[in-house]
Amino acid sequence: MDKKANENLAMQVSFVTILGNFLLTVFKLMAGVAAHSGAMVSDAIHSASDVLSTFVVIVGVKLSGKESDKEHPFGHERFECVAALILSVLLAFTGLGIGWAGIQNILGDSTALVVPGRLALIAAVISIVSKEAMYWYTRAAAKKIDSSALMADAWHHRSDALSSVGSFIGILGARLGLPVLDPVASVVICLFILKAAFDIFRDAISKMLDTACSDEVEAQMREVVLAQDGVLGVDRLQTRLFGDRIYVEIDIAADGSTPLSQAHESATMVHDAIEEQFPKVKHCMVHVNPLEVHPVG
């Protein structure tokens, strides 16, 4: 898919999830208030943060899709990483707020804790099913267009689904005679959210620090290079992640007695093969080192 098609798919997924999260937020907030469930109100706040996070994704995808210009000759792909970093921070603050509210309720007057109503349980089940569906829907699109920001948003949906599981357990436990389990569920939700925020943050940082590709990917690249005519060896192969794209630098060894045009043709074959067989490669630079070949006999 080209950049425009990728952007259109990301926008479509984002608008669908914004609408879904908005409706879920309103429903869970009303259910939490009506059923006197702090866990469900916390869950509603989490869904509201998903709406904001998806807007961040939209901005990140839009900016990362811009063509290279004079000020940014290597493109704007890292805007997706910036969007993912912002998402991780928003997610962390959301989790901390929910956890703090839960701890305050646990340490407060236990006799003042209200047993949540049945509506809160129903809302938790609906939330689990809806958010898990959003996770798989967004994840599929993120993998299709290889978008780190969209994948971060997918995990945001998954963390909301997990938090709803915590809400369900806490609300059910409270209705079975342990009201303290409702705020305890809020603290558990906080831990799930913080774990998701950390994973998103770590992934985005690694993509902004020119991290190399895995050894497996580089080994596959070496095989492709050595399969090209005129290549006698690979003296150097370096890769770096630039957002969700890859830059590759390769030094190949070629017969020093061959004409320059032939060495250039080998380098071109290497360049084209790498960019064709590894779609994430945005740019491949190939340098030719002359190798003295001694005739046999």
Side-chain angles (χ1 to χ4, degrees):
M1 296 177 71
D2 58 27
K3 276 189 174 183
K4 191 61 179 175
N6 289 349
E7 183 180 312
N8 289 339
L9 179 58
M11 293 303 104
Q12 174 188 324
V13 171
S14 297
F15 285 125
V16 168
T17 55
I18 283 174
L19 177 60
N21 279 318
F22 175 76
L23 294 175
L24 266 179
T25 298
V26 174
F27 174 62
K28 289 197 287 189
L29 186 59
M30 293 174 62
V33 172
H36 308 290
S37 172
M40 185 49 59
V41 171
S42 298
D43 214 5
I45 295 172
H46 191 186
S47 291
S49 74
D50 281 353
V51 175
L52 178 60
S53 71
T54 304
F55 276 114
V56 174
V57 170
I58 290 174
V59 174
V61 171
K62 279 284 187 182
L63 292 177
S64 67
K66 291 176 61 179
E67 296 295 334
S68 303
D69 52 37
K70 184 178 180 181
E71 290 77 21
H72 306 90
F74 293 102
H76 301 78
E77 280 82 3
R78 279 183 175 161
F79 271 117
E80 279 216 36
C81 297
V82 174
L85 286 174
I86 294 173
L87 282 180
S88 69
V89 173
L90 290 174
L91 203 53
F93 275 110
T94 300
L96 290 173
I98 290 173
W100 178 244
I103 290 173
Q104 285 182 313
N105 287 330
I106 293 171
L107 297 178
D109 183 6
S110 60
T111 60
L113 294 174
V114 181
V115 176
R118 185 179 301 173
L119 179 60
L121 272 181
I122 297 173
V125 173
I126 292 174
S127 178
I128 292 169
V129 174
S130 301
K131 294 303 299 186
E132 188 66 11
M134 286 187 199
Y135 163 74
W136 286 106
Y137 175 57
T138 307
R139 179 180 180 272
K143 289 178 71 68
K144 187 173 185 179
I145 65 176
D146 199 18
S147 169
S148 60
L150 206 59
M151 185 60 78
D153 205 31
W155 279 105
H156 203 163
H157 298 318
R158 167 57 68 84
S159 71
D160 206 1
L162 292 174
S163 74
S164 293
V165 172
S167 296
F168 179 84
I169 295 172
I171 295 167
L172 181 62
R175 287 180 57 81
L176 292 177
L178 291 172
V180 73
L181 287 183
D182 189 64
V184 166
S186 292
V187 177
V188 174
I189 291 169
C190 161
L191 298 178
F192 275 122
I193 295 173
L194 291 178
K195 173 62 167 58
F198 175 75
D199 290 342
I200 294 170
F201 182 85
R202 182 178 58 183
D203 179 67
I205 286 294
S206 70
K207 290 180 177 178
M208 295 186 74
L209 294 179
D210 289 342
T211 305
C213 293
S214 67
D215 292 339
E216 180 183 358
V217 171
E218 290 194 352
Q220 292 172 356
M221 288 183 177
R222 286 181 182 274
E223 289 181 9
V224 171
V225 173
L226 291 171
Q228 308 309 310
D229 290 340
V231 177
L232 302 180
V234 179
D235 295 336
R236 182 178 69 97
L237 189 151
Q238 289 184 330
T239 59
R240 64 185 179 94
L241 295 173
F242 187 86
D244 288 319
R245 305 300 295 276
I246 303 172
Y247 280 78
V248 185
E249 296 182 11
I250 305 171
D251 288 356
I252 61 172
D255 187 349
S257 64
T258 60
L260 176 61
S261 59
Q262 187 173 332
H264 174 74
E265 183 178 350
S266 295
T268 301
M269 291 171 62
V270 169
H271 172 277
D272 293 346
I274 290 292
E275 292 197 349
E276 179 182 344
Q277 297 191 39
F278 299 89
K280 290 179 67 175
V281 172
K282 181 174 182 177
H283 178 69
C284 176
M285 185 176 72
V286 183
H287 175 76
V288 180
N289 293 327
L291 178 68
E292 185 177 351
V293 179
H294 300 283
V296 179

